[in-house]
Amino acid sequence: AHAWRDCNSAQKRMKILMLAQDPNICVVGSNVRKRMERYAELFDELHIVVLAGNGSTSWQNGKLFLYPVMAGNPLLQRWRMYDMARGLAARVRFDMVSAQAPDEVGFIAYRIARRFGAKLQLQVHTDILSPWYRSASWKEYFRSLLARFLLPAADCVRAVSQRIKRSLMDGLHIPESRIFVLPIFTDREAFSAEGGQAPRPEDLARLQKYAFRMIAVGRFVDKEKNFSMLIRMMAEFTRHVPAAMLILVGDGPDKKNFKFQISNFKLERNVIIEPWRNDLASFYKCFDVALVSSNYEGWGLVAIEAMAAGVPVVMTDVGLAGEVVRDGVNGRVVPVGDTDAFLDAVVDLYRHPEKRRAFADAGRRAVAEVKPQSETEYLRLYRESFEMCGKL
């Protein structure tokens, strides 16, 4: 890290205004807050205006400046974000304005950048051009239309996967030179089967009664993660393998809906809901297969983590599927929303433990090749994504 800072000191300095939507940025000690603190070291100044909950206060330490925006009404909160960002841009000459998504916050970034003559960088973390995204709800439909205006207007775009890059080039005709691909960094060593944390004995003890153990991790937002499909799949799978189990790890607005479906299918013994865990690096290793059932995805952090832990993956054709997870080579990839195909893939891995072992070995090798391979490399590429935009 010191070597990186020494190298960076000789580079052109930049002042960045970032518009963000994750309230955890305001939580001292949170992973996202620590990440922003590391980002700030890459620039002359990093100012972040963030949609936050009540009780958050403005904060500054070194090169990082945080400005939480609070309001009960979402529209009022976004107006206040615009007003805050406009006031900052009037006082500080920013080289670039960056937004974490090409949505309403991205539109605010667009207005600020154009008004004050700064470069505009938009980040794309999910497949906003996917028909599954567009049809998820009226909000996603509106955001997909907004993205079609904002992304071509941006000076540069940072995407998290090659899939998104291709969709932007093919669907919006954005030149390849304006798209920078930077996957989400994962500390693979922490999850690795060899060097990572061992499974907790208490977890192994409570799961040992199951003949086949599966795990799915994510926000409980069904229009995106489609955990309902996994529950329907389990209703059929347990008819043939009564001792199979699936743990859903996460939280979100559809939690009650999932509980109702589990009860309706009488799967209380086979499908278990657990809250977010801080020990996923060890918990993954208790399972035979990891499942990713998303309707749309930008990257697929769960797949990377599971593969690093030596757990084979069955996933829908989203995010890093085809780029990292290759069907029949190091995992299984099935069409989005196809419950029967997903079930067939799970049954296949249940019946062939030797295939699971082969996929696990191939998966570890594939993950080891994914860049960035270290946090230092990730920070270098993160800085480079801004430098590229500044040169356009």
Side-chain angles (χ1 to χ4, degrees):
H2 292 297
W4 165 250
R5 285 196 292 270
D6 292 341
C7 177
N8 185 55
S9 64
Q11 297 175 334
K12 179 182 180 294
R13 308 304 291 178
M14 288 189 286
K15 293 183 180 181
I16 307 296
L17 173 61
M18 181 180 295
L19 305 186
Q21 304 182 52
D22 189 343
N24 288 319
I25 291 175
C26 298
V27 179
V28 177
S30 67
N31 288 334
V32 66
R33 172 66 163 267
K34 292 177 181 177
R35 190 162 67 248
M36 296 302 153
E37 290 170 351
R38 289 192 289 271
Y39 290 167
E41 289 299 314
L42 306 176
F43 307 109
D44 191 30
E45 294 178 9
L46 175 59
H47 296 249
I48 304 177
V49 181
V50 56
L51 303 177
N54 292 328
S56 301
T57 57
S58 297
W59 180 88
Q60 187 266 325
N61 184 26
K63 302 176 182 179
L64 180 62
F65 301 75
L66 294 181
Y67 310 91
V69 179
M70 295 161 283
N73 183 288
L75 292 177
L76 178 59
Q77 189 178 36
R78 281 152 181 79
W79 171 255
R80 288 181 176 174
M81 170 178 270
Y82 172 74
D83 195 49
M84 173 71 75
R86 181 179 58 183
L88 284 171
R91 299 193 305 271
V92 180
R93 183 173 179 80
F94 291 110
D95 300 285
M96 196 170 304
V97 181
S98 178
Q100 292 185 333
D103 55 11
E104 311 94 283
V105 171
F107 182 74
I108 295 173
Y110 165 79
R111 293 288 299 165
I112 296 298
R114 293 297 176 263
R115 177 168 179 174
F116 292 94
K119 295 283 188 177
L120 173 64
Q121 181 204 64
L122 293 178
Q123 305 167 36
V124 185
H125 293 270
T126 195
D127 194 356
I128 44 88
L129 296 184
S130 163
W132 291 89
Y133 176 87
R134 190 166 57 248
S135 62
S137 76
W138 69 266
K139 289 183 180 180
E140 279 74 19
Y141 180 77
F142 167 75
R143 287 168 178 166
S144 70
L145 295 178
L146 188 57
R148 288 178 176 274
F149 163 73
L150 290 173
L151 290 168
D155 294 288
C156 58
V157 178
R158 180 160 63 85
V160 294
S161 67
Q162 292 293 335
R163 177 189 296 268
I164 291 179
K165 177 181 177 179
R166 290 192 301 269
S167 72
L168 296 178
M169 292 173 61
D170 297 341
L172 299 181
H173 307 293
I174 297 176
E176 184 176 12
S177 61
R178 289 168 52 194
I179 305 173
F180 194 98
V181 178
L182 181 59
I184 299 169
F185 173 70
T186 306
D187 185 359
R188 282 157 286 188
E189 186 61 29
F191 288 85
S192 70
E194 297 82 12
Q197 304 171 20
R200 292 183 177 182
E202 57 268 31
D203 287 327
L204 292 173
R206 74 184 177 103
L207 298 177
Q208 65 180 356
K209 63 181 178 180
Y210 296 99
F212 194 64
R213 299 175 291 272
M214 295 166 281
I215 183 172
V217 180
R219 294 170 59 242
F220 289 171
V221 179
D222 206 37
K223 62 186 180 183
E224 179 181 357
K225 301 303 181 182
N226 198 13
F227 284 170
S228 289
M229 183 180 74
L230 297 183
I231 297 171
R232 294 194 302 272
M233 181 206 70
M234 285 296 290
E236 180 63 28
F237 187 60
T238 52
R239 294 177 185 175
H240 307 283
V241 189
M245 67 89 63
L246 167 65
I247 286 187
L248 304 176
V249 180
D251 203 353
D254 286 320
K255 183 176 181 178
K256 290 183 178 180
N257 178 38
F258 294 154
K259 286 184 175 181
F260 173 79
Q261 292 182 53
I262 292 168
S263 176
N264 191 46
F265 284 114
K266 297 180 172 55
L267 291 170
E268 290 89 347
R269 295 183 179 180
N270 302 99
V271 181
I272 300 169
I273 291 179
E274 292 204 4
W276 289 110
R277 299 179 58 129
N278 294 322
D279 63 340
L280 282 174
S282 65
F283 195 49
Y284 278 121
K285 298 168 188 174
C286 299
F287 296 88
D288 299 296
V289 176
L291 308 180
V292 179
S293 54
S294 301
N295 288 328
Y296 51 89
E297 195 77 61
W299 176 236
L301 190 61
V302 171
I304 292 288
E305 292 173 346
M307 293 169 77
V311 181
V313 171
V314 177
M315 71 178 300
T316 47
D317 190 10
V318 298
L320 50 69
E323 183 177 342
V324 179
V325 181
R326 293 185 291 160
D327 186 41
V329 176
N330 56 24
R332 292 298 314 273
V333 179
V334 301
V336 174
D338 193 332
T339 307
D340 291 337
F342 209 103
L343 174 62
D344 290 343
V346 170
V347 169
D348 179 53
L349 290 185
Y350 167 72
R351 290 176 175 171
H352 299 97
E354 74 285 354
K355 187 176 290 188
R356 297 202 302 270
R357 290 191 292 269
F359 283 173
D361 291 340
R364 281 193 290 265
R365 291 193 297 271
V367 166
E369 297 299 319
V370 175
K371 294 184 177 182
Q373 296 181 336
S374 68
E375 185 179 35
T376 299
E377 182 183 8
Y378 177 82
L379 291 173
R380 177 181 64 79
L381 292 171
Y382 186 84
R383 162 81 189 202
E384 189 177 317
S385 71
F386 284 84
E387 290 180 332
M388 181 205 78
C389 194
K391 294 175 182 177
L392 294 174

